[in-house]
Amino acid sequence: MATHGKRTRIEDIRRVELIAAAHRVFLEHGLQGMTSARICREAGMSPGILAYYFKGKDEVLFGMVRYNNRLLMEDVIARLAAARTGWARLEAIVEGNFPASAFTRPIANAWLSVCAEAGANPQYARLQRLFYRRLRSNLASVFEGMSDATRLRQASLIIAALIDGLWLRKAAADDVGRDEAIALVFSGIRSLLREGEEQHLRHVTR
Amino acid sequence: MATHGKRTRIEDIRRVELIAAAHRVFLEHGLQGMTSARICREAGMSPGILAYYFKGKDEVLFGMVRYNNRLLMEDVIARLAAARTGWARLEAIVEGNFPASAFTRPIANAWLSVCAEAGANPQYARLQRLFYRRLRSNLASVFEGMSDATRLRQASLIIAALIDGLWLRKAAADDVGRDEAIALVFSGIRSLLREGEEQHLRHVTR
DNA sequence: TAGATTTTTGTACGCTCATACAAGATTCTG
DNA sequence: CAGAATCTTGTATGAGCGTACAAAAATCTA
């Protein structure tokens, strides 16, 4: 009992440490530069440690992506819970997709390398789909009851594509700042919405 | 003189054959799967041939990207030359960015892998910037004289981001077809433009 | 056709990286 | 404290890749 508790504790600690280290390496060097040796060095451990706590590198990798997504989603979830009007919820979603500390060229690049890898690796594709579905359903919850189904699909697709595209531009040219990116998305949203719909979002809904 | 002509011919033929083969491999396997051996096999040649006609793999790679960009741009340039109204030129640009035969999940993925690599490799970043600058200036030539500078920058950024984002969505989830993608971009454009501006684009300009 | 030049082939070297593993260090147990 | 279990280290192995190169084949020249 006692030994079991301790053993599990240390194992979990190491796993988290290694995944956090992997995350830092990933943000700095991208998926390509995230080698086993670098992860261990970043964690201050020996190169062979990964094989002890993980079945293989893929396990570290998936853990890292989940870790990353959790960090991002926690922020959005907290903001969504605090939001009172539809517009505030929209702000939470959009701003949550451009974290102040994360809308950076190297990070945009790192994220891009995951998207690229998702084409070859079905497991990645699944993680991506999950993340994207959450965004879509968040947007849908803001717009629901406002428009017909096809318009809603269009609007949420456009907004999602806009967000992704701005990240891509960040990675490629770094020609847009965080505040400008958010402003651009809202500019797009305002253009998409009719006058009455925009007013509707300003009412307190919950 | 005569020998020089012949020698140059064969060298150019092989280089083009190899670059075309590299392009096919790239579209199918992405940047990651584009190995020297595969390129040579695709071209029906021996593995060592690359070293004879190219200084290294990078040279093949940059040649392949240029080859790809040329293919895409030829289409846009031809459509632009034939366009008479501003709206037609806009259609040429937008539809040219979604080639019917190329708006495919594997191709979107391949393109994405180049964007991801551009983060680490400055040479790639240069090629990407060139390609993107062309899109922006094409868009600017359509909108010029219509709006003030900041609105123009906003609009062209949003449209460019929308196009990129839709390609990214294609790669990630394949949840949007070519026609729908084009329709979405135009839906975004129409939302962005005021009524008078949209009418302005329907006049014959040249 | 003989020799010279160009083109192509096949292979071998060196590098990077993930993974496996034996040996050492640490912590727990009785 | 001795012995066992757990944890950590450092290194070795092998696969995949780009590249260099010697030898073979093909083509050209006189």
Side-chain angles (χ1 to χ4, degrees), chain A residues 32-45:
Chain A
Q32 198 62 232
M34 197 183 87
T35 93
S36 301
R38 247 207 277 257
I39 293 170
C40 296
R41 190 158 2 108
E42 173 70 29
M45 303 178 195

Side-chain angles (χ1 to χ4, degrees), chain B residues 3 6 35-36 48 56-57:
Chain B
T3 60
K6 199 105 185 200
T35 90
S36 301
K57 193 194 173 188

Side-chain angles (χ1 to χ4, degrees), chain B residues 77-135:
Chain B
I77 288 171
R79 284 159 158 274
L80 274 181
R84 287 284 163 268
T85 67
W87 191 258
R89 305 183 70 215
L90 204 53
E91 279 180 330
I93 296 172
V94 173
E95 291 180 13
N97 272 276
F98 296 100
S101 60
F103 193 58
T104 303
R105 198 154 112 88
I107 293 183
N109 252 298
W111 169 76
L112 213 59
S113 64
V114 173
C115 292
E117 196 66 16
N121 195 326
Q123 303 247 49
Y124 277 58
R126 222 184 101 256
L127 289 174
Q128 286 285 106
R129 255 194 302 275
L130 242 69
F131 191 71
Y132 179 58
R133 201 159 299 177
R134 164 101 44 166
L135 169 60

Side-chain angles (χ1 to χ4, degrees), chain A residues 3 6 35-36 48 56-57:
Chain A
T3 61
K6 199 108 187 194
T35 93
S36 301
K57 193 193 173 188

